[in-house]
Amino acid sequence: MPRKAVVNRRKCAYCGACIAVCPVDANELVETYLEIYEDKCNGCGLCSKVCPMGALAMVEVE
Amino acid sequence: MYDVVVIGAGPAGSMAAKTAAELGLSVLLVEKRQEIGTPVRCAEGISKENIEQFFEVDKKWIAAEVTGAKIYAPDKTEVVMSEEMAGNEVGYVLERKIFDRHIARLAAKAGAEVYVKTTAVDFERKDGKVKVRLRRLGEDWEVEAKILIGADGVESKVGRRAGIIKTLRMDEVESCAQYLLTGLDIDERYTYFYLGREVAPGGYAWIFPKGDGSANVGIGVLPKIAKKPAKEYLDAFIEREGIEGKIVEFVAGAVPVYGEIGTAVSDNIMLAGDAAYHSDPITGGGIANALSAGYYAGKVAAEAVEKNDFSAEFLRMYDNLWKNDFGKKLRRNKKLQEKFLEMSDETINKLAASISGKNLKEMSVRAIVTELLKAHPKLLLDLKDVFM
Ligand SMILES: Cc1cc2nc3c(=O)[nH]c(=O)nc-3n(C[C@H](O)[C@H](O)[C@H](O)COP(=O)(O)OP(=O)(O)OC[C@H]3O[C@@H](n4cnc5c(N)ncnc54)[C@H](O)[C@@H]3O)c2cc1C
Ligand code: SF4
Ligand code: SF4
């Protein structure tokens, strides 16, 4: 099953680390919050490795 | 149509906008945050020299002044760097919330238009100019510019979408967490650095005093070798050091530790600051280079407008300027970082012990490496060329 990155907005500190490493431009800091575009995310997990807050989880989707 | 649209009102963007506006260009500075400078993503340390090069110092945005630095090896061996004469401050710890706004205001004063809570969502190059799509309060519109300056920080989309830079790999970025602590009992004349794989794999922990018993206490780790999120390393560091104090602010962030990119331009576009990976690969410091890069970008924009030439070839003038200024240092410190990553804690302890007690009079990476090279000419052989 494919994996996707999912953000826990209560943990996210709006830092931009995950944007800097996403190879497919699948995420964005929209003014005050993080948006992940599920259709673009390839499940590589790099963003969750770089997140200083542990706010990103990789979950399996259908 | 604007001469220049600058994306991002951090030090690089505001400096570029200020410089271009002072040279008579029509400038638009766009910042997506509703407040410039917040949330802070920085430990706020900078050398006195680097600030005074561009600004008249104003106490409003200086939190503290420091005279030296203390570096701790994993086994607590201490290396002290301090200026000869007491009272000769070498570094500032800024109040970036105020500093960043100050530069943006200078840009506005020089004639730049400033839009906050406005995001640059996309851009397109067409017929020798750039169309930039902006979004504010859910409404989209387009502006045109001869030049686009991407100063959009570590999260830059401009550079990637223009094909100038690649995304950062796990060993090209430091993942950072920091608290502003208050009620601390520290010697506020120094900044403090803590090294070690256990404490901060591939990075370091720091304490930068902000006056009145408060300090930025933070950590940067390299995702490639870190085993848990930066915040957990920070909490462990604070516990290990027995640092007591109350958290009054929380900061997370990322710093590129890439080294020197080949070029920061393409047709109609220049990148400055963290967007161009201009931050230092060994210290993670990026304010000084961001300011310089912004300044050069603003200057070259004015030249380009005068010559009516916005081609990548012409804009390479900007590459030459920033590379001559700090390109070599980026290259050098990238090598040093790679070397540092190979070192075990034992090696770091040994190196620190060999220069501990020596009076390092200058507060710089170069001063440390020069001293290390004297003690271990062989061990660091491959660094010799780049440093001597
Ligand atoms: C924890 C931490 C500690 C640090 N400590 C130090 C230190 O002690 N000393 C030092 O010199 N450096 C330090 N740095 C590095 C320093 O903070 C950066 O190098 C510096 O802020 C880079 O400036 P900049 O102008 O390039 O980018 P930024 O300051 O990041 O500014 C970029 C701006 O662009 C905006 N933006 C992004 N995308 C868009 C868009 N699409 N539309 C509109 N606006 C947009 C952002 O909101 C942001 O305001 C630290 C970094 C971190 C993370
Ligand atoms: S998992 Fe990979 S592709 Fe998906 S958002 Fe994270 S970095 Fe991007
Ligand atoms: S890296 Fe983590 S804390 Fe930073 S913006 Fe992404 S999800 Fe939020």
Side-chain angles (χ1 to χ4, degrees), chain A residues 19 22 25 27 29 31 50, chain B residues 32 117 157 160 167 175:
Chain A
I19 322 286
C22 178
D25 202 4
N27 49 14
L29 284 179
E31 289 174 43
V50 82
Chain B
K32 73 176 164 192
K117 205 170 169 58
K157 302 264 184 195
R160 267 171 261 153
T167 45
S175 173

Side-chain angles (χ1 to χ4, degrees), chain B residues 7-12 30-33 41-45 96 118-120 151-153 155 176 206 208 253-255 272-274 284-287 290:
Chain B
I7 303 182
V30 182
E31 169 56 55
K32 73 176 164 192
R33 302 177 186 193
R41 296 174 186 154
C42 192
E44 308 176 293
R96 276 203 56 190
T118 306
T119 307
D152 43 348
E155 55 179 289
C176 308
W206 64 80
F208 287 5
V255 199
D274 278 8
I287 307 168

Side-chain angles (χ1 to χ4, degrees), chain B residues 84-98:
Chain B
E84 283 266 84
M85 288 176 292
N88 186 9
E89 289 83 8
V90 289
Y92 289 124
V93 181
L94 300 171
E95 194 64 72
R96 276 203 56 190
K97 287 187 198 91
I98 306 177

Side-chain angles (χ1 to χ4, degrees), chain A residues 11 13-32 37 40 45-55, chain B residues 32-33 39 41 117 119 121 135 137 154-155 157 160-161 167-170 173 175-177 223-224 226 229-232 250 252-254 277:
Chain A
K11 283 192 180 176
Y14 189 80
C15 79
C18 53
I19 322 286
V21 301
C22 178
V24 292
D25 202 4
N27 49 14
E28 184 183 1
L29 284 179
V30 181
E31 289 174 43
T32 52
Y37 302 105
K40 285 201 207 163
L46 291 173
C47 57
S48 75
K49 256 187 95 71
V50 82
C51 176
M53 302 298 297
Chain B
K32 73 176 164 192
R33 302 177 186 193
R41 296 174 186 154
K117 205 170 169 58
T119 307
V121 280
R135 180 174 296 161
L137 307 177
V154 71
E155 55 179 289
K157 302 264 184 195
R160 267 171 261 153
R161 288 184 187 161
T167 45
L168 294 165
R169 294 191 326 223
M170 293 295 108
V173 58
S175 173
C176 308
K224 189 174 179 189
K231 182 187 177 292
E232 291 178 29
F250 189 94
Y277 302 160

Side-chain angles (χ1 to χ4, degrees), chain B residues 314-379:
Chain B
F314 188 88
L315 298 180
R316 292 228 204 287
M317 191 190 283
Y318 165 64
D319 276 338
N320 293 339
L321 287 168
W322 70 259
K323 280 174 185 255
N324 277 333
D325 184 336
F326 56 79
K328 184 174 169 213
K329 198 164 162 193
L330 292 180
R331 275 203 307 280
R332 181 191 94 182
N333 285 359
K334 182 64 190 179
K335 269 206 174 159
L336 189 60
Q337 182 225 19
E338 282 161 359
K339 195 87 196 162
F340 171 69
L341 291 178
E342 288 166 12
M343 287 178 192
S344 64
D345 280 7
E346 292 72 52
T347 310
I348 299 174
N349 289 336
K350 208 170 81 189
L351 290 176
S354 70
I355 61 167
S356 176
K358 293 236 165 66
N359 188 8
L360 296 181
K361 292 195 195 70
E362 197 190 300
M363 199 167 116
S364 71
V365 173
R366 171 186 280 272
I368 303 178
V369 175
T370 309
E371 209 54 46
L372 285 175
L373 282 172
K374 278 192 222 156
H376 306 274
K378 280 222 187 77
L379 186 68

